[in-house]
Amino acid sequence: MSTGKHAKTPTSSNAGTRLTGAEILWATLEGEGVSVVFGYPGGAILPAYDALRKFPIRHVLVRHEQGAAHAADGYARASGKVGVAIATSGPGATNLVTGIATAMLDSVPMVCITGQVSSKVLGTDAFQEVDITGITLPVTKHNYVVTRAEDVAPMIREAFLVARSGRPGPVLVDITKDAQQGSAEFDFAAAAPKPHRPHPMLKTESVSVLQAAELIRNAKKPVILAGHGIIQSNAYQQILTLAERMKIPVASTLLGLGAFPASHPLSLGMMGMHGEAWVNHAIQQSDLLIACGMRFDDRVTGTLATYAPNAKKIHIEVDPAEIDKNVKVDIALIGDLKEALEALLPHLPPKPARHESAWLREIEASKGEVAVRDIKNLPDSGHLYAAHVIHDLWRATDGKAIVVTDVGQHQMWEAQYYKHETPRTLITSGGLGTMGFALPAAIGAKIACPDKEVWVVAGDGGFQMTAAELSTAAQEELDLNIAVVNNGYLGMVRQWQEFFYEKNYESSPLRSPDFVKLAEAHGIRGTTVGKRPEVVPAIKTAREHKGPFVINFLVEKEDSVYPMIPAGKALHEMIRRPNHNPLVETAGDK
Amino acid sequence: MLHTFVALVEDRPGVLTRVASLFRRLNINIVSLTVGHSERIGVSRMTIVCEASPTAGHRIAASLYKLENVLQVDDVGQLSHVARELALIKVAATPKTRSQVFELAEVFRARIVDLAPESLMIEITGVESKIEGLIQVLNEAGDRILEISRTGRMVMRRGQHTSRVLEAMRVPGVETVAEFKAEEDSAAPSDLLMADETGL
Ligand SMILES: Cc1ncc(C[n+]2csc(CCOP(=O)(O)OP(=O)(O)O)c2C)c(N)n1
Ligand SMILES: [Mg+2]
């Protein structure tokens, strides 16, 4: 190969070019529009790494393959493009699994490439051989084993198609070492996959559309349930039109936050286990739920027996297997959400501008009592609450940052107190609830959107799961702001122990390293904050600093996320914040 | 409730695992699963019988379709169809006691396909209840059953040509298997109908 870097344009007709499988891999990725991959090398993938220098693709070296998968995931969620992770065989491949499952549960388009031992020794327990396609079978949309150089381009191209199509998700391509080393003719265009078979059970017939429209026109107490699908299908405008035209309030799932502007008068906020009382109240009182790109997860429905008992349900969803899975619906529009809404909207004449909605007034009235309980309205008692931190972060960033959270209490506080106005500004592991997600996913998000401000919001527990990626952030010189919400506990576990296990705080107290010193060891600046007045200045310093910056927020140790609907209970059976009594101590007090 | 699905799938390594793994993931027990060639080259046909709640059919079919290698799924439970199973049954029998087994086999239209000094082998085709009937009478007659091998249910929708076959024949590039082997068992259609209805 005499081609130098940037020399090839694989999309142009280059039939007859003979390349190695490794070169075909990169050329095909380039043709698919990939400009960055997240990975970690090793023996079985070394031929691919050796060929990388010839291609205009940036490789971000993570510190653990789980980080590569989360970074590719964060990249995909921030950009809407397919994220790519790459790892070696055996332990490299198995380290990807948590990240792949995270993407699967949240329908994130991702292609993972793993090296594999040579096809001649497949099945012999060769060094670092593991059946990664077997292992990832239930957590990928599909996966492939490639054993010949000529199959690399068609299979990679098909993998991208599968990852993007229908309900998106992760796809893994396992490429044997000899397939990377062998050579074949490369023709990008000829390697194009057959068009993807649409799921045959898609159904957006005009009868169902008309029936749905009729239900919407006649509803007295409708609620839109806004899910991740709105973001995946770019249907924000259509949802906004539907809500405004018919004056329908919008409740969001965790992954649906940002799909509808939080400051919009019709926005209710997050529903479900940690949703505000009025949101779940509205759902329970509703006579029509219009579920858009969401899947009635148990965290949003509570017990199904009493879920929205008086409501008819319209489910607009791209995955036919989700219909009637948890909640039996009256009308299902199965297909792309944006297309379905576009078919629906012409049948919905606008409500008159002066239309007075008793329903909206009823919801508004149910908000009043809650504000009194809201912790962020409390006078400064000398204690720092996580809610204060998130609230101040929201104000300081004007609600415009991309926030990447970890999993736990801080994640729920983020969802409650950071008001997301635009899609793809909240990146969080919803379905799998993967601790350790935030930092590596934020690395991916920052690389996808270098001009956007990106904040990590992580707990002291989860942060330590992937803290080694600080080193990646430093090496890549990423302008990343990292807020560790440090409560000295695996907080969400402690909260469950407090509520349901008689405060038996078994294995939830957590001693952490000094996160600022840890940052410094990586050449990263940081500061510790333990008092409310220090919050805003610290955020300002972090924002002004070029490069990664860590803020260690020492917050109230034994605070809980309210309200909370215990698992398996009905949406109205919630635990409320007790009348405030200033809690014991912050992690900073000794 | 028992559900029966016919799935046309790509004939490739690993496809059976993907299908089986799906049922495991859904926590649904497979009662029987048969796989073999279909009328289309490169396409295998599976008949899957599973135990699941009456409302599970939609979700199972929808989930099967999400597998990339699955081409077509029919939930045949509700449709008019022919179901058959084949069983080989080895029974302990000496030259002296054979004739009794012959008689029972005759009643069930089963065939003796192997004779050994101490055993014989019966081949029987029919709906499950017919096969179970033969096993029961063999047991009741005191014939010792040494081995049973059953294929599990295979089903096909009634009618000369399903719309799918017609479609398959029209699709350019899809080769149909030219030669259909003559039915070995030449039971008349009326017999089959009767067998279906009586369970024999
Ligand atoms: C990988 C993984 N292991 C365990 C859990 C269970 N879990 C959920 S929240 C939580 C505590 C998180 O603690 P921390 O990161 O400090 O966040 P906090 O809840 O205190 O805000 C745990 C252990 C999980 N979600 N993910
Ligand atoms: Mg914590």
Side-chain angles (χ1 to χ4, degrees):
Chain A
M1 273 298 308
S2 56
T3 23
K5 194 148 184 149
H6 301 220
K8 217 172 345 285
T9 46
T11 32
S12 65
S13 176
N14 48 6
T17 323
R18 209 165 170 85
L19 301 179
T20 66
E23 289 163 342
I24 293 174
L25 166 64
W26 296 116
T28 310
L29 290 177
E30 190 191 346
E32 289 289 345
V34 174
S35 57
V36 57
V37 301
F38 304 89
Y40 209 97
I45 194 74
L46 266 183
Y49 274 81
D50 188 49
L52 177 55
R53 70 192 151 85
K54 298 171 194 157
F55 296 86
I57 291 180
R58 172 176 176 191
H59 180 274
V60 176
L61 178 70
V62 292
R63 295 301 184 269
H64 185 293
E65 290 85 351
Q66 180 184 349
H70 288 330
D73 178 325
Y75 179 91
R77 295 192 208 218
S79 66
K81 293 192 257 181
V82 178
V84 179
I86 180 162
T88 191
S89 66
T94 55
N95 273 350
L96 289 174
V97 173
T98 302
I100 296 174
T102 304
M104 183 71 177
L105 271 278
D106 288 347
S107 312
V108 178
M110 183 160 107
V111 169
C112 293
I113 292 151
T114 48
Q116 180 57 283
V117 300
S118 168
S119 67
K120 290 170 212 67
V121 295
L122 264 184
T124 65
D125 298 332
F127 178 64
Q128 293 194 330
E129 178 182 2
V130 76
D131 174 14
I132 195 61
T133 44
I135 290 172
T136 57
L137 194 105
V139 292
T140 49
K141 267 189 90 175
H142 195 58
N143 58 28
Y144 303 84
V145 184
V146 180
T147 55
R148 304 183 310 174
E150 57 263 45
D151 295 334
V152 172
M155 295 216 172
I156 295 280
R157 293 207 63 183
E158 192 175 308
F160 273 80
L161 180 69
V162 171
R164 287 189 193 110
S165 60
R167 180 177 178 172
V171 178
L172 181 135
V173 187
D174 195 29
I175 310 179
T176 61
K177 196 167 184 178
D178 52 336
Q180 298 168 49
Q181 288 164 328
S183 62
E185 300 283 302
F186 173 64
D187 183 344
F188 184 79
K194 305 193 294 278
H196 195 250
R197 141 173 92 57
H199 196 296
M201 291 159 87
L202 299 183
K203 167 175 153 292
T204 43
E205 300 144 0
S206 35
V207 231
S208 320
V209 171
L210 291 180
Q211 287 168 337
E214 188 177 333
L215 283 184
I216 296 173
R217 283 195 306 268
N218 295 333
K220 299 263 180 309
K221 300 179 167 194
V223 176
I224 291 171
L225 307 180
H228 197 197
I230 300 171
I231 298 171
Q232 306 262 28
S233 145
N234 289 317
Y236 337 113
Q237 194 50 53
Q238 288 72 14
I239 285 288
L240 195 64
T241 309
L242 174 65
E244 288 182 342
R245 191 186 286 179
M246 306 307 287
K247 310 250 184 318
I248 307 176
V250 179
S252 295
T253 66
L254 175 64
L255 293 191
L257 292 174
F260 190 80
S263 60
H264 195 286
L266 288 167
S267 169
L268 297 177
M270 183 173 68
M271 65 177 99
M273 183 176 269
H274 292 295
E276 288 295 355
W278 68 79
V279 191
N280 291 325
H281 171 85
I283 291 170
Q284 287 305 80
Q285 298 304 312
S286 166
D287 66 354
L288 177 68
L289 297 180
I290 309 160
C292 298
M294 57 82 76
R295 58 187 176 90
F296 293 105
D297 182 82
D298 55 85
R299 286 290 186 269
V300 314
T301 61
T303 180
L304 291 169
T306 53
Y307 180 69
N310 308 316
K312 289 229 182 299
K313 285 130 194 149
I314 299 172
H315 198 178
I316 315 180
E317 165 61 46
V318 72
D319 180 357
E322 291 295 343
I323 305 300
D324 291 340
K325 183 178 85 176
N326 299 334
V327 170
K328 177 104 189 63
V329 297
D330 298 277
I331 293 173
L333 301 180
I334 316 175
D336 178 66
L337 180 64
K338 185 174 179 169
E339 288 169 20
L341 289 172
E342 272 170 355
L344 189 60
L345 285 169
H347 303 288
L348 298 172
K351 293 245 159 115
R354 302 183 358 268
H355 174 82
E356 266 284 304
S357 169
W359 175 227
L360 293 179
R361 263 184 279 120
E362 178 184 336
I363 295 174
E364 203 51 43
S366 67
K367 287 186 184 177
E369 170 251 7
V370 174
V372 182
R373 293 172 185 264
D374 192 334
I375 186 164
K376 74 172 192 287
N377 296 330
L378 291 174
D380 183 4
S381 60
H383 294 262
L384 183 58
Y385 289 89
H388 291 147
V389 172
I390 304 293
H391 178 78
D392 290 352
L393 179 62
W394 166 61
R395 297 284 283 273
T397 56
D398 211 11
K400 287 185 179 138
I402 295 178
V403 184
V404 187
T405 83
D406 217 76
V407 170
Q409 291 183 313
H410 64 278
Q411 178 188 31
M412 293 299 116
W413 281 315
E414 199 286 343
Q416 292 178 338
Y417 292 98
Y418 199 102
K419 307 292 176 197
H420 292 275
E421 299 296 321
T422 51
R424 304 191 184 281
T425 57
L426 169 58
I427 295 177
T428 191
S429 166
L432 198 66
T434 309
M435 283 172 70
F437 174 78
L439 178 58
I443 289 173
K446 183 68 195 180
I447 287 173
C449 305
D451 300 331
K452 293 237 175 87
E453 178 175 355
V454 177
W455 278 84
V456 170
V457 172
D460 41 340
F463 184 66
Q464 289 185 71
M465 281 200 173
T466 50
E469 302 302 341
L470 279 175
S471 188
T472 309
Q475 181 167 347
E476 297 293 325
E477 297 172 7
L478 297 178
D479 191 4
L480 204 58
N481 303 304
I482 300 163
V484 182
V485 179
N486 186 346
N487 53 9
Y489 276 103
L490 300 175
M492 191 56 94
V493 171
R494 189 211 57 76
Q495 174 169 348
W496 282 54
Q497 290 169 330
E498 175 186 336
F499 291 178
F500 314 120
Y501 296 90
E502 294 156 342
K503 298 198 177 183
N504 175 19
Y505 294 156
E506 174 58 52
S507 303
S508 53
L510 177 76
R511 211 170 88 187
S512 297
D514 180 330
F515 291 122
V516 174
K517 284 207 182 117
L518 183 71
E520 278 165 5
H522 290 87
I524 293 173
R525 279 192 51 203
T527 184
T528 293
V529 168
K531 298 271 179 275
R532 180 84 194 262
E534 301 162 3
V535 174
V536 172
I539 291 172
K540 187 162 179 281
T541 312
R543 298 184 75 203
E544 284 166 0
H545 177 71
K546 284 269 157 277
F549 195 98
V550 173
I551 310 178
N552 178 28
F553 289 105
L554 302 175
V555 299
E556 196 65 43
K557 285 182 149 185
E558 299 192 10
D559 192 12
S560 290
V561 183
Y562 297 99
M564 176 181 192
I565 296 150
K569 290 282 167 90
L571 286 195
H572 53 272
E573 296 176 83
M574 67 193 113
I575 304 173
R576 307 300 305 270
R577 181 175 283 280
N579 281 336
H580 182 70
N581 75 66
L583 294 166
V584 261
E585 49 174 347
T586 64
D589 301 337
K590 282 280 141 63
Chain B
M1 166 187 152
L2 282 188
H3 293 265
T4 306
F5 298 94
V6 169
L8 294 183
V9 303
E10 288 174 348
D11 182 9
R12 289 201 192 170
V15 175
L16 177 60
T17 314
R18 289 177 195 276
V19 171
S21 166
L22 170 69
F23 282 86
R24 181 179 55 80
R25 213 151 71 225
L26 298 177
N27 193 23
I28 292 173
N29 186 39
I30 296 177
V31 175
S32 73
L33 193 161
T34 70
V35 202
H37 295 302
S38 70
E39 71 282 0
R40 285 160 67 180
I41 290 178
V43 176
S44 300
R45 180 179 175 117
M46 295 183 176
T47 305
I48 309 156
V49 182
C50 66
E51 178 67 53
S53 75
T55 54
H58 164 82
R59 178 145 186 254
I60 296 171
S63 302
L64 278 167
Y65 268 126
K66 284 168 72 175
L67 302 177
E68 292 297 321
N69 305 112
V70 171
L71 307 172
Q72 173 89 38
V73 181
D74 262 343
D75 183 349
V76 290
Q78 318 306 328
L79 307 165
S80 163
H81 64 267
V82 174
R84 284 293 176 274
E85 183 173 357
L86 184 140
L88 295 175
I89 305 174
K90 195 186 279 177
V91 182
T94 62
K96 275 190 182 161
T97 59
R98 270 178 200 157
S99 58
Q100 180 193 334
V101 180
F102 285 175
E103 271 171 36
L104 291 178
E106 175 79 1
V107 174
F108 281 82
R109 290 196 193 83
R111 302 193 306 166
I112 309 300
V113 289
D114 184 52
L115 264 186
E118 276 144 17
S119 70
L120 55 77
M121 194 191 299
I122 307 170
E123 175 199 301
I124 177 169
T125 312
V127 293
E128 288 100 322
S129 55
K130 175 177 169 183
I131 293 168
E132 271 139 31
L134 174 60
I135 294 170
Q136 193 185 338
V137 295
L138 285 168
N139 281 329
E140 283 168 4
D143 293 308
R144 221 176 114 229
I145 293 174
L146 302 171
E147 277 183 66
I148 298 178
S149 175
R150 295 173 64 164
T151 57
R153 186 191 297 178
M154 286 167 54
V155 305
M156 193 173 279
R157 284 170 65 175
R158 287 191 184 278
Q160 267 290 316
H161 293 283
T162 62
S163 55
R164 187 169 60 242
V165 175
L166 286 173
E167 181 194 326
M169 287 174 164
R170 266 187 250 116
V171 173
V174 175
E175 298 164 62
T176 36
V177 179
E179 291 171 38
F180 289 91
K181 282 202 201 133
E183 270 284 319
E184 278 178 38
D185 189 337
S186 55
S190 57
D191 284 358
L192 290 172
L193 272 174
M194 188 210 73
D196 248 9
E197 277 139 25
T198 60
L200 271 179

